[in-house]
Amino acid sequence: VVLGGHHPTLFPEKMLNSSAVDFVLRGEGEQSMPMLADLLKNAAPGAMPASRELKKINGIGFRNHGQLYLNSPDWIDRLESNPMPAFEKVDWTYYKRRKKTAITIVASRGCPFPCSYCAVSSSSCHGRFRLRPVSDILEEIRIQAETKDIGFIDFEDENLTLKKNWVLDLLTGIKNIFSDQSIELRAMNGLFPPSLDMDILLAMKAAGFKTLNLSVGSFSSDQLTRFKRPDVRK
């Protein structure tokens, strides 16, 4: 049993205190999970891999003769090193919006803001804010557009519009891919209001945005201060 995600990253000792948990993988698991899987696959039946080999895996945590061994969380420096998702393993009949396919894109990771309640903020142990290359994101969308009648794209990013030139290039590329069809775009996690100037707003509308989810956090000044949240109420 291997656990990953925000909770095991921040509280690995609590997870490994349960005898039901064999390993935790802290941080991002695209590199560490295949390494662990290879060791488990090549171990003798019913045996655990050698601890000296397990310790070579970034982000791993496990019990070793009654003692806990923890490596630091693993964060991927270059997101373009990740392969494309295995789209063929998804049953797309479950992901529809108005009878067309709805897809989800993660164009970035992390966040530069220090909001204390967030698991991916700069005040947590999460990796730094990183944007994927626009060309990689467009290729991910293009591959899916070749085999699906896409009608909706949701960007599951914390800060889609923070870097102006980057997002303008992305929106232009999406508009070109779907030049002959109607598509709706949405950023459901919310957009940072001060990052939205007229250039970006017009490009968003041209690419297919019909609704803007604005990320405010709170209209209480006390809460904003307590949460270390940027005040964007104005």
Side-chain angles (χ1 to χ4, degrees):
V1 176
V2 185
L3 296 185
H6 300 308
H7 198 84
T9 295
L10 290 167
F11 306 107
E13 296 92 346
K14 290 184 178 180
M15 300 294 93
L16 289 168
N17 279 340
S18 169
S19 59
V21 179
D22 298 301
F23 302 99
V24 298
L25 291 176
R26 308 173 68 202
E28 294 164 338
E30 286 94 340
Q31 298 175 126
S32 56
M33 187 66 196
M35 294 175 67
L36 176 58
D38 281 341
L39 287 180
L40 292 170
K41 180 179 178 180
N42 294 320
M48 294 291 278
S51 60
R52 65 179 180 278
E53 297 300 323
L54 291 170
K55 291 177 180 180
K56 297 177 183 178
I57 299 176
N58 291 338
I60 198 168
F62 62 97
R63 290 182 295 274
N64 183 27
H65 300 295
Q67 301 296 315
L68 294 186
Y69 180 87
L70 298 176
N71 275 340
S72 299
D74 188 32
W75 306 113
I76 298 171
D77 290 329
R78 296 172 59 253
L79 296 180
E80 60 266 35
S81 66
N82 284 340
M84 286 289 167
F87 302 118
E88 71 279 2
K89 295 185 180 296
V90 179
D91 185 347
W92 292 98
T93 59
Y94 290 108
Y95 300 94
K96 298 287 184 179
R97 183 179 174 90
R98 300 193 179 105
K99 298 182 179 180
K100 291 190 173 185
T101 300
I103 67 172
T104 298
I105 299 291
V106 178
S108 64
R109 293 186 183 180
C111 179
F113 298 118
C115 308
S116 62
Y117 56 81
C118 183
V120 301
S121 74
S122 61
S123 63
S124 75
C125 75
H126 200 277
R128 61 180 176 79
F129 178 53
R130 293 149 294 160
L131 293 167
R132 292 174 60 194
V134 169
S135 58
D136 281 15
I137 304 166
L138 294 177
E139 181 65 13
E140 180 176 338
I141 295 172
R142 191 177 293 110
I143 289 172
Q144 298 184 81
E146 291 174 352
T147 58
K148 307 177 186 70
D149 183 15
I150 297 174
F152 186 82
I153 300 177
D154 172 38
F155 287 92
E156 280 292 316
D157 295 275
E158 303 298 327
N159 293 287
L160 185 66
T161 54
L162 275 192
K163 190 173 181 180
K164 182 174 180 176
N165 290 338
W166 178 90
V167 74
L168 289 177
D169 288 346
L170 176 63
L171 294 168
T172 299
I174 293 173
K175 182 182 176 183
N176 291 336
I177 292 174
F178 298 99
S179 58
D180 59 346
Q181 56 193 115
S182 176
I183 187 170
E184 182 179 354
L185 308 179
R186 187 80 68 89
M188 290 185 175
N189 279 351
L191 300 160
F192 187 57
S195 70
L196 302 175
D197 64 14
M198 190 56 66
D199 293 334
I200 292 177
L201 290 170
L202 289 173
M204 293 176 81
K205 182 176 181 181
F209 274 89
K210 296 179 174 64
T211 300
L212 299 182
N213 297 54
L214 299 181
S215 181
V216 178
S218 175
F219 279 94
S220 163
S221 60
D222 290 341
Q223 283 188 332
L224 291 171
T225 299
R226 188 165 78 252
F227 294 152
K228 300 179 182 178
R229 172 85 185 182
D231 189 343
V232 299
R233 291 175 295 170
K234 182 178 179 180

